Amino acid sequence: MRWGAAAVAATAGLGAPGRGAVAASTAAQDASPPVDPARIAAAAAGPILRRELFTSPVTIASVELLKAGDQYLVRVRSREGATGLAVAHPEVLETTWPILTRRVAPFFVGKDARDLEALIDGVYLADSNYKWQGLSFWVPVASVEFAVLDLLGQVARQPIGELLGGVRRRDIAVYRASGNRGNSPEAELAYLQRLVEEIGARAIKFRLGARMRYDEASTRRDLALIPLTRKAFGDAMAIHADANGSYDVPTALRIGALMRDHGLAFLEEPVPFDSYDETRAIADALPLPVAGGEQESSLRRFRWMIEHRGVDVVQPDLFYFGGLIRSIRVARMAAVAGMPCTPHMSGGGLGYLYVAHFASCVPNAGPFQEYKGREDDLPVSSETSSLRCVNGVLTVPTGPGLGVSLDPAFLARAVPVA
């Protein structure tokens, strides 16, 4: 399905749930005229960090990687005495931490944090780091970036959303995502109902296919689960589905048509993520939005996806793609094309909080943001937010930087990783 500017505008107020929202977006779509590539390029190139909030240099004195339990933390200190702290992606850093400590962190030391946009570009080029491009490189970069943004927020006494263009909204509606595959449709429905009850969600997402493949059993499950969820939750629930690249084009079209018949919100990654032409063909043919971008690591390929309408909903992962600044560049390109940019949330750490800060300042973030729950072993609190979803809504902290604090006893147990 092709989104036009009117359809994106209809999603800008974050309260459009359910089957009716899909019908409204279909009615609101326009002819989607070709987008001037120069405008898209200009949108990505424009400044993001509000440098005017800082009157003097913020020189990075140190970048440390710490580990407390199963959690990896990045701590950044400035020569002027400020500290920024972020929680990295624990599953990825368990394998890739040497890239952070040896190839990423040293580049930032001694630099002015106000130049963060240029530093993100610079670390990519330094020491031929571009040859490492992918999840293993960009997750460490994102982890450092989050900590530097927290540092800058402490200095400016502003939340991250204000640093990155200005806060537009504090209350972020979420969709609760299931990670299950292979269970029966009835078991998955029961699980989804528990997730909805936990946070009062008005939107959900479940998995289809067998992850990068499909078979007779997975297809039977898919064909049963789609109508079952709509019948159980009714028309007021916004329902999304993620195939994780499982289908070929004919199967994706078959599943997508069933989803459209039952008013689902979008189909994510219908075919393998790097099958760009096939994804575009599905997006052109389906009367249903197609989402993608979770695995993308290249700004140029995102630009191709946007210029050529390869998807309808653009989904950079804030960790996998290298942080908030690079993802906001994607959102700005998508906005020029009249497309929503709803980021993917990889699990772990404070991923839900980074998504919330992104949605707080991006105009085309879409009606619902991905939420996979909080981790009980991460003792984090905020003076300005409960950090919990209530009636399907998460309130973004307004304190400086990330707006949260980690338990000092937890931090005291953290040991350097080198």
Side-chain angles (χ1 to χ4, degrees):
M1 188 191 87
R2 287 292 161 233
W3 292 67
V8 174
T11 71
L14 300 174
R19 193 170 188 165
V22 176
S25 68
T26 303
Q29 67 177 303
D30 54 31
S32 298
V35 181
D36 180 0
R39 290 184 59 212
I40 292 179
I48 295 173
L49 183 66
R50 295 177 60 196
R51 192 182 173 98
E52 71 273 12
L53 294 173
F54 307 93
T55 58
S56 58
V58 183
T59 307
I60 297 172
S62 64
V63 179
E64 302 171 277
L65 181 64
L66 310 171
K67 190 175 184 184
D70 293 331
Q71 299 290 343
Y72 285 87
L73 316 174
V74 178
R75 183 167 60 197
V76 178
R77 290 190 169 108
S78 75
R79 290 179 184 171
E80 296 75 24
T83 299
L85 189 67
V87 180
H89 194 303
E91 294 179 3
V92 175
L93 263 292
E94 186 66 30
T95 301
T96 65
W97 65 263
I99 295 178
L100 191 154
T101 59
R102 299 170 191 174
R103 304 196 70 91
V104 175
F107 176 83
F108 286 83
V109 175
K111 308 291 199 313
D112 189 340
R114 298 178 302 168
D115 297 327
L116 183 57
E117 291 175 66
L119 296 179
I120 297 298
D121 295 334
V123 72
Y124 173 64
L125 298 177
D127 299 321
S128 297
N129 281 334
Y130 63 88
K131 295 182 178 181
W132 295 76
Q133 175 165 235
L135 178 150
S136 59
F137 175 73
W138 285 119
V139 168
V141 172
S143 302
V144 172
E145 186 219 60
F146 297 147
V148 173
L149 286 171
D150 188 54
L151 171 77
L152 289 170
Q154 304 300 325
V155 173
R157 308 302 299 167
Q158 296 289 341
I160 281 178
E162 287 296 341
L163 302 183
L164 301 178
V167 172
R168 296 168 177 267
R169 59 187 71 86
R170 282 198 67 203
D171 292 332
I172 308 301
V174 305
Y175 65 81
R176 190 66 166 88
S178 165
N180 295 331
R181 270 195 176 85
N183 56 351
S184 70
E186 294 76 16
E188 180 64 359
L189 175 62
Y191 179 70
L192 290 167
Q193 289 171 327
R194 290 197 298 273
L195 294 183
V196 168
E197 290 171 2
E198 285 176 6
I199 65 169
R202 296 180 292 128
I204 55 173
K205 185 174 80 174
F206 54 77
R207 307 283 183 110
L208 296 174
R211 186 176 283 276
M212 296 292 285
R213 66 178 184 86
Y214 70 96
D215 53 31
E216 184 177 344
S218 70
T219 302
R220 279 199 308 269
R221 177 184 182 272
D222 297 347
L223 294 174
L225 183 58
I226 291 166
L228 183 64
T229 52
R230 177 55 72 200
K231 181 179 179 181
F233 288 110
D235 288 350
M237 182 68 71
I239 304 175
H240 311 71
D242 183 359
N244 285 117
S246 292
Y247 302 134
D248 54 23
V249 172
T251 306
L253 292 175
R254 178 189 181 193
I255 296 295
L258 182 65
M259 290 175 60
R260 179 63 187 92
D261 289 345
H262 291 278
L264 271 66
F266 66 56
L267 173 58
E268 183 176 338
E269 284 192 345
V271 294
F273 60 86
D274 53 355
S275 297
Y276 299 104
D277 290 330
E278 290 85 352
T279 303
R280 180 174 61 173
I282 294 166
D284 285 341
L286 271 183
L288 173 85
V290 171
E294 165 190 346
Q295 305 294 342
E296 189 53 73
S297 60
S298 167
L299 188 67
R300 292 180 179 89
R301 284 195 295 268
F302 262 122
R303 178 175 169 179
W304 183 96
M305 293 164 64
I306 293 166
E307 286 183 6
H308 293 83
R309 301 281 180 167
V311 293
D312 301 299
V313 180
V314 185
Q315 292 183 297
D317 183 288
L318 301 184
F319 268 116
Y320 299 166
F321 191 60
L324 286 159
I325 286 172
R326 279 169 52 84
S327 298
I328 289 173
R329 289 173 181 167
V330 172
R332 289 185 174 183
M333 291 192 295
V336 170
M339 300 164 65
C341 179
T342 301
H344 176 266
M345 179 202 161
S346 52
L350 292 177
Y352 70 93
L353 181 62
Y354 306 144
V355 169
H357 278 293
F358 176 90
S360 78
C361 64
V362 171
N364 58 327
F368 299 100
Q369 309 305 310
E370 186 164 15
Y371 181 77
K372 293 179 178 174
R374 294 181 53 184
E375 296 189 20
D376 294 335
D377 64 342
L378 188 61
V380 62
S381 62
S382 170
E383 295 181 356
T384 57
S385 170
S386 69
L387 301 179
R388 298 190 178 278
C389 288
V390 179
N391 296 324
V393 173
L394 177 67
T395 298
V396 184
T398 58
L402 290 169
V404 298
S405 299
L406 287 168
D407 183 352
F410 175 80
L411 283 176
R413 294 195 299 270
V415 297
V417 179

